[in-house]
Coordinates of all heavy atoms in Angstrom, one line a residue:
R853 N 90.1 192.6 285.0 CA 90.9 191.5 285.7 C 90.6 190.2 285.2 O 89.4 189.8 285.1 CB 90.8 191.7 287.2 CG 91.4 193.1 287.8 CD 91.3 193.0 289.3 NE 91.9 194.3 289.8 CZ 93.2 194.4 290.1 NH1 94.0 193.3 290.0 NH2 93.6 195.6 290.6
A854 N 91.6 189.2 285.2 CA 91.4 187.9 285.0 C 92.5 187.2 285.8 O 93.3 186.4 285.3 CB 91.5 187.4 283.5
D855 N 92.6 187.6 287.1 CA 93.6 187.1 287.9 C 93.4 185.6 288.4 O 92.3 185.2 288.5 CB 93.8 188.0 289.2 CG 94.1 189.4 288.9 OD1 94.8 189.7 287.8 OD2 93.8 190.3 289.6
G856 N 94.6 185.0 288.7 CA 94.3 183.7 289.3 C 93.9 183.7 290.8 O 94.2 184.8 291.5
E857 N 93.3 182.6 291.2 CA 92.8 182.6 292.6 C 94.1 182.3 293.6 O 94.9 181.5 293.3 CB 91.8 181.6 292.8 CG 91.1 181.7 294.1 CD 89.9 180.7 294.1 OE1 89.9 179.7 293.4 OE2 89.0 181.0 294.9
S858 N 94.0 183.0 294.7 CA 95.0 182.8 295.8 C 94.4 181.8 296.7 O 93.3 181.7 296.9 CB 95.4 184.1 296.5 OG 96.0 185.0 295.5
F859 N 95.4 181.0 297.3 CA 94.9 180.1 298.4 C 94.3 180.9 299.5 O 94.9 181.9 300.1 CB 96.2 179.3 298.9 CG 95.8 178.3 300.0 CD1 95.1 177.2 299.8 CD2 96.1 178.6 301.3 CE1 94.7 176.2 300.8 CE2 95.8 177.8 302.4 CZ 95.0 176.7 302.1
G860 N 93.3 180.4 300.0 CA 92.5 181.1 301.1 C 91.4 181.8 300.6 O 90.3 181.9 301.2
D861 N 91.4 182.4 299.4 CA 90.3 183.1 298.8 C 89.1 182.0 298.5 O 88.0 182.4 298.8 CB 90.6 183.7 297.5 CG 91.6 184.9 297.7 OD1 91.6 185.4 298.9 OD2 92.3 185.4 296.8
N862 N 89.5 180.8 298.0 CA 88.5 179.9 297.7 C 87.9 179.2 299.0 O 86.7 179.1 299.0 CB 89.2 178.7 297.0 CG 88.1 177.8 296.4 OD1 87.1 177.7 296.8 ND2 88.4 177.2 295.3
V863 N 88.7 179.2 300.0 CA 88.2 178.7 301.3 C 87.1 179.7 301.9 O 86.0 179.3 302.3 CB 89.2 178.5 302.3 CG1 88.7 178.2 303.7 CG2 90.3 177.4 301.8
K864 N 87.4 181.0 301.7 CA 86.5 182.0 302.2 C 85.2 182.0 301.4 O 84.1 182.2 301.8 CB 87.1 183.3 302.2 CG 88.3 183.4 303.3 CD 89.0 184.7 303.1 CE 90.3 184.9 304.1 NZ 91.0 186.1 304.0
K865 N 85.5 181.9 300.0 CA 84.3 182.0 299.2 C 83.4 180.9 299.3 O 82.1 181.1 299.2 CB 84.9 182.0 297.7 CG 83.7 182.2 296.7 CD 84.4 182.3 295.2 CE 85.2 181.2 294.8 NZ 85.7 181.3 293.4
H866 N 83.8 179.7 299.6 CA 83.0 178.5 299.6 C 82.5 178.2 301.1 O 81.8 177.3 301.4 CB 83.5 177.3 299.0 CG 83.7 177.4 297.6 ND1 82.6 177.4 296.7 CD2 84.8 177.7 296.8 CE1 83.1 177.6 295.4 NE2 84.4 177.8 295.5
G867 N 83.1 179.0 302.0 CA 82.7 178.8 303.4 C 83.3 177.6 304.1 O 82.9 177.2 305.1
H868 N 84.4 177.1 303.6 CA 85.1 176.0 304.1 C 85.9 176.4 305.3 O 86.5 177.7 305.3 CB 86.1 175.3 303.2 CG 85.3 174.7 301.9 ND1 84.3 173.7 302.1 CD2 85.3 175.0 300.7 CE1 83.8 173.4 300.9 NE2 84.4 174.3 300.0
K869 N 86.1 175.7 306.2 CA 87.1 176.0 307.4 C 88.3 175.3 307.2 O 88.5 174.1 307.0 CB 86.4 175.5 308.8 CG 85.1 176.2 309.1 CD 84.6 175.7 310.5 CE 83.3 176.4 310.8 NZ 82.7 176.0 312.1
S870 N 89.4 176.1 307.1 CA 90.7 175.6 306.9 C 91.3 175.1 308.2 O 91.4 175.8 309.2 CB 91.6 176.7 306.3 OG 92.9 176.1 306.1
I871 N 91.8 173.8 308.2 CA 92.3 173.2 309.4 C 93.8 173.3 309.4 O 94.4 172.8 310.4 CB 91.7 171.8 309.6 CG1 92.1 170.9 308.6 CG2 90.2 171.9 309.8 CD1 91.7 169.5 308.7
T872 N 94.4 173.5 308.2 CA 95.9 173.5 308.1 C 96.2 174.7 307.2 O 95.4 175.0 306.4 CB 96.3 172.2 307.6 OG1 97.8 172.2 307.4 CG2 95.7 171.8 306.2
S873 N 97.4 175.0 307.4 CA 97.9 176.1 306.4 C 98.6 175.5 305.2 O 99.2 176.2 304.4 CB 98.8 177.0 307.2 OG 100.0 176.3 307.7
I874 N 98.7 174.2 305.1 CA 99.2 173.5 304.0 C 98.2 173.5 302.9 O 97.0 173.0 303.1 CB 99.8 172.1 304.2 CG1 100.9 172.3 305.3 CG2 100.2 171.4 303.0 CD1 101.5 171.0 305.7
G875 N 98.5 173.9 301.7 CA 97.5 174.0 300.6 C 98.1 174.1 299.3 O 99.4 174.1 299.1
P876 N 97.3 174.2 298.2 CA 97.8 174.2 296.9 C 98.4 175.5 296.6 O 98.3 176.6 297.4 CB 96.6 173.9 296.0 CG 95.5 174.5 296.9 CD 95.8 174.1 298.2
G877 N 99.2 175.6 295.4 CA 99.7 176.9 295.0 C 98.7 177.8 294.4 O 97.5 177.4 294.5
G878 N 99.1 178.9 294.0 CA 98.2 179.9 293.4 C 97.8 179.6 292.0 O 98.4 178.9 291.3
G879 N 96.5 179.9 291.6 CA 96.1 179.8 290.3 C 96.7 180.7 289.3 O 97.1 181.8 289.7
S880 N 96.9 180.3 288.1 CA 97.6 181.1 287.1 C 96.6 182.2 286.5 O 95.3 182.0 286.6 CB 98.1 180.3 285.9 OG 97.0 179.7 285.3
G881 N 97.0 183.3 286.1 CA 96.2 184.3 285.5 C 95.6 183.9 284.2 O 96.1 183.0 283.5
G882 N 94.5 184.4 283.9 CA 93.7 184.0 282.7 C 94.3 184.8 281.5 O 95.4 185.2 281.3
T883 N 93.3 185.1 280.6 CA 93.6 185.8 279.4 C 92.7 187.0 279.2 O 91.4 187.0 279.5 CB 93.4 184.9 278.1 OG1 94.2 183.7 278.3 CG2 93.6 185.5 276.8
I884 N 93.3 188.1 278.8 CA 92.6 189.3 278.4 C 93.0 189.5 276.9 O 94.1 189.9 276.7 CB 92.9 190.5 279.3 CG1 92.4 190.2 280.7 CG2 92.1 191.8 278.7 CD1 92.6 191.4 281.7
L885 N 92.0 189.3 276.0 CA 92.2 189.5 274.6 C 91.4 190.6 274.1 O 90.1 190.6 274.1 CB 91.9 188.2 273.9 CG 92.0 188.1 272.4 CD1 93.5 188.4 272.0 CD2 91.6 186.7 271.8
L886 N 92.1 191.6 273.6 CA 91.4 192.9 273.2 C 91.6 193.1 271.7 O 92.8 193.4 271.3 CB 91.9 194.0 274.0 CG 92.0 193.9 275.5 CD1 92.6 195.1 276.2 CD2 90.6 193.8 276.1
F887 N 90.5 193.0 271.0 CA 90.5 193.3 269.6 C 89.9 194.7 269.6 O 88.7 195.0 269.6 CB 89.5 192.4 268.8 CG 90.0 190.9 268.8 CD1 89.6 190.0 269.7 CD2 90.9 190.5 267.8 CE1 90.0 188.8 269.8 CE2 91.3 189.1 267.7 CZ 90.9 188.3 268.8
V888 N 90.8 195.7 269.4 CA 90.4 197.1 269.4 C 91.0 197.9 268.4 O 92.0 197.6 267.8 CB 90.6 197.7 270.9 CG1 89.9 197.0 272.0 CG2 92.2 197.7 271.1
H889 N 90.4 199.0 268.2 CA 90.9 200.1 267.2 C 91.8 201.1 267.9 O 92.9 201.4 267.6 CB 89.8 200.7 266.4 CG 90.3 201.6 265.3 ND1 90.9 201.1 264.2 CD2 90.3 202.9 265.2 CE1 91.2 202.1 263.4 NE2 90.9 203.3 264.1
T890 N 91.2 201.7 269.1 CA 91.9 202.5 269.8 C 91.6 202.2 271.4 O 90.6 201.7 271.7 CB 91.6 204.0 269.6 OG1 90.1 204.2 269.8 CG2 91.9 204.4 268.1
A891 N 92.5 202.6 272.2 CA 92.4 202.3 273.6 C 92.9 203.4 274.4 O 93.9 204.1 274.1 CB 93.1 201.0 274.0
V892 N 92.3 203.7 275.6 CA 92.7 204.7 276.5 C 92.7 204.0 277.9 O 91.6 203.6 278.3 CB 91.7 205.9 276.5 CG1 92.1 206.9 277.6 CG2 91.8 206.7 275.1
L893 N 93.8 204.1 278.5 CA 94.1 203.7 279.9 C 94.3 204.8 280.8 O 95.3 205.5 280.7 CB 95.1 202.5 280.0 CG 94.8 201.2 279.7 CD1 94.3 201.0 278.3 CD2 95.9 200.2 280.0
G894 N 93.4 205.1 281.7 CA 93.5 206.2 282.6 C 94.5 206.1 283.6 O 95.2 205.1 283.8
D895 N 94.6 207.1 284.5 CA 95.7 207.2 285.4 C 95.6 206.0 286.5 O 96.6 205.4 286.8 CB 95.6 208.5 286.3 CG 96.0 209.7 285.3 OD1 96.8 209.5 284.4 OD2 95.4 210.8 285.6
S896 N 94.4 205.7 286.9 CA 94.3 204.6 287.9 C 93.8 203.4 287.3 O 93.3 202.5 288.0 CB 93.3 205.1 289.0 OG 92.0 205.5 288.4
S897 N 93.8 203.2 286.1 CA 93.2 202.0 285.4 C 94.2 200.8 285.7 O 95.4 201.0 285.8 CB 93.1 202.3 283.9 OG 94.3 202.6 283.3
V898 N 93.6 199.6 285.6 CA 94.5 198.4 285.8 C 93.9 197.4 284.8 O 92.7 197.1 284.7 CB 94.3 197.9 287.2 CG1 95.1 196.5 287.3 CG2 94.9 198.8 288.2
I899 N 94.8 196.7 284.1 CA 94.5 195.5 283.3 C 95.5 194.5 283.9 O 96.6 194.6 283.7 CB 94.7 195.8 281.8 CG1 93.7 196.8 281.3 CG2 94.5 194.5 281.0 CD1 93.9 197.1 279.8
S900 N 94.8 193.4 284.3 CA 95.7 192.5 285.1 C 95.3 191.0 284.9 O 94.0 190.7 284.8 CB 95.5 192.8 286.6 OG 96.2 191.8 287.4
T901 N 96.4 190.2 284.6 CA 96.1 188.7 284.7 C 97.2 188.1 285.6 O 97.9 187.2 285.2 CB 96.3 188.2 283.2 OG1 97.5 188.6 282.6 CG2 95.2 188.7 282.3
A902 N 97.3 188.7 286.8 CA 98.3 188.2 287.7 C 98.0 186.9 288.3 O 96.8 186.5 288.4 CB 98.4 189.2 288.8
G903 N 99.0 186.1 288.6 CA 98.9 184.9 289.2 C 98.5 185.0 290.6 O 98.8 186.0 291.4
G904 N 97.8 183.9 291.2 CA 97.4 183.9 292.6 C 98.6 183.4 293.5 O 99.6 182.9 293.0
H905 N 98.5 183.8 294.8 CA 99.4 183.4 295.8 C 99.2 182.0 296.2 O 98.1 181.6 296.5 CB 99.4 184.4 296.9 CG 99.6 185.9 296.5 ND1 100.4 186.3 295.5 CD2 98.9 187.0 296.8 CE1 100.4 187.6 295.3 NE2 99.3 188.1 296.0
G906 N 100.4 181.4 296.7 CA 100.2 180.1 297.2 C 99.9 180.1 298.7 O 99.8 181.1 299.3
S907 N 99.7 178.9 299.2 CA 99.5 178.7 300.7 C 100.6 179.2 301.5 O 101.8 179.3 301.0 CB 99.1 177.4 301.0 OG 100.2 176.4 300.8
H908 N 100.5 179.3 302.8 CA 101.5 180.0 303.6 C 102.7 179.1 303.9 O 103.8 179.6 304.3 CB 100.9 180.4 304.9 CG 99.9 181.6 304.7 ND1 100.4 182.9 304.6 CD2 98.6 181.6 304.7 CE1 99.3 183.7 304.5 NE2 98.2 182.9 304.5
I909 N 102.6 177.8 303.6 CA 103.7 176.9 304.0 C 104.2 176.3 302.7 O 103.7 175.2 302.2 CB 103.4 175.9 305.0 CG1 102.9 176.5 306.4 CG2 104.5 174.9 305.2 CD1 102.6 175.7 307.5
G910 N 105.0 177.0 301.9 CA 105.7 176.3 300.8 C 105.0 176.1 299.6 O 105.7 175.6 298.6
S911 N 103.9 176.5 299.3 CA 103.2 176.5 297.9 C 103.8 177.5 297.0 O 104.1 178.6 297.4 CB 101.8 176.5 298.1 OG 101.3 175.5 299.0
G912 N 103.8 177.0 295.7 CA 104.2 178.0 294.7 C 103.3 179.0 294.2 O 102.0 178.8 294.4
G913 N 103.6 180.1 293.7 CA 102.7 181.1 293.2 C 102.3 180.8 291.8 O 103.1 180.1 291.1
G914 N 101.1 181.3 291.4 CA 100.7 180.9 290.1 C 101.4 181.8 289.0 O 101.8 182.9 289.3
G915 N 101.5 181.4 287.9 CA 102.1 182.0 286.8 C 101.2 183.1 286.3 O 100.0 183.1 286.4
G916 N 101.8 184.2 285.8 CA 101.0 185.2 285.2 C 100.3 184.8 283.9 O 100.7 183.8 283.2
G917 N 99.3 185.5 283.7 CA 98.4 185.2 282.4 C 98.9 185.9 281.2 O 100.1 186.2 281.0

Side-chain angles (χ1 to χ4, degrees):
R853 294 182 176 274
D855 300 333
E857 189 176 27
S858 298
F859 175 76
D861 295 341
N862 193 334
V863 175
K864 296 177 183 178
K865 180 172 66 175
H866 295 285
H868 300 296
K869 294 183 180 180
S870 179
I871 59 176
T872 178
S873 57
I874 298 178
S880 63
T883 297
I884 297 178
L885 178 58
L886 305 175
F887 296 92
V888 296
H889 186 71
T890 60
V892 175
L893 274 65
D895 293 331
S896 59
S897 62
V898 176
I899 295 180
S900 175
T901 57
H905 306 313
S907 62
H908 291 278
I909 301 183
S911 295

